[in-house]
Amino acid sequence: MQLIERAFHHEREQLRQCGLKITTQRLIILKELMNHADHPTVHMIHEAVKKELPAVSVDTVYRTLLSFSEAGLCTVLDGMGEARRFDPKRTVHHHFICNNCGKIVDFACTEFDNLQLPSVFKKGFTVENKSVRLSGLCPDCNK
Amino acid sequence: MQLIERAFHHEREQLRQCGLKITTQRLIILKELMNHADHPTVHMIHEAVKKELPAVSVDTVYRTLLSFSEAGLCTVLDGMGEARRFDPKRTVHHHFICNNCGKIVDFACTEFDNLQLPSVFKKGFTVENKSVRLSGLCPDCNK
DNA sequence: TTATTAAATAGGAATTATTCTTATTTGTCA
DNA sequence: TGACAAATAAGAATAATTCCTATTTAATAA
Ligand SMILES: [Mn+2]
Ligand SMILES: [Mn+2]
Ligand SMILES: [Zn+2]
Ligand SMILES: [Zn+2]
């Protein structure tokens, strides 16, 4: 555990800032998540983490990634009929999802970001998230 | 089956226009779907259909609703980490999803509908669907 | 530093949504 | 009416996610 002690300065600091207890599992999971620009699933992160921590449980990966998203360290992309995907990109952006291969492509859309919400949501609702979702076929799947 | 023979004129016509074989199951499932303005799940439709057709299988409801969506008779709202929801509303609209109770609220957003897609998608991609997704708390869940 | 304690974890079972398999039934169309 | 492809029922299989419980561990106060 000396290795862990020495490294993971950045991860350690992020957890501390979020008030999350610092555990070996969390440090490694956080580092793995930040290494994946491709919206990884729990399964992908679990596989990667097992290389450094063979006994880590799938439940821990789930719990940890969900607590990261609650803490604002990442976001969750629910659905697509498939497994939940996690997104380490912290800046505002949107997603195109390929209906054939499931690939997720990030894009920006400032015009949309600047749109006012419909007035229905002015009262009573709390809108926590606002995003554009495109779907269709990616260039690879378009033959 | 005389009842089915006589009624379901509208459903029968819709199936015919889509080139879908007309079966008792499809007629009843279609009618039920159109009765639900609240984005029903497969389970909800299955329960409703069983009242008229007790032996209908869950697999048939799945298969049928998916073929309806392929035929354009409805759309599928994948995800939310929960069960797939089906949407009989045929006009362009968008959704707010309550993170607490799961309720889905329709809304229109013409300004968004009129936005140009980012230029990334001009070449190579085929964008089949384009929508806004809001999430947060609905008035009921906001205490 | 050490003892205390609440939080985190491993491991596996349970749950739930969805898909698959196979034998049987049913529309469609000639 | 008869042939045949398509649709269905029933239940098994698969996969994602959550739950349960005994054990371990990080934070912190003495
Ligand atoms: Mn992203
Ligand atoms: Mn809708
Ligand atoms: Zn693709
Ligand atoms: Zn709600």
Side-chain angles (χ1 to χ4, degrees), chain B residues 1 21-24 42 59 62 66 82-84:
Chain B
M1 216 128 289
K21 199 184 269 192
I22 294 168
T23 68
T24 305
V42 166
D59 183 59
Y62 261 99
L66 287 175
E82 302 289 320
R84 195 172 282 173

Side-chain angles (χ1 to χ4, degrees), chain B residues 42-84:
Chain B
V42 166
H43 182 253
M44 289 161 73
I45 299 288
H46 187 219
E47 289 303 309
V49 170
K50 276 199 287 189
K51 287 180 186 147
E52 300 187 57
L53 206 63
V56 71
S57 73
V58 62
D59 183 59
T60 293
V61 178
Y62 261 99
R63 221 177 340 93
T64 302
L65 289 173
L66 287 175
S67 65
F68 286 174
S69 77
E70 282 163 19
L73 291 172
C74 67
T75 56
V76 191
L77 304 185
D78 264 333
M80 294 108 229
E82 302 289 320
R84 195 172 282 173

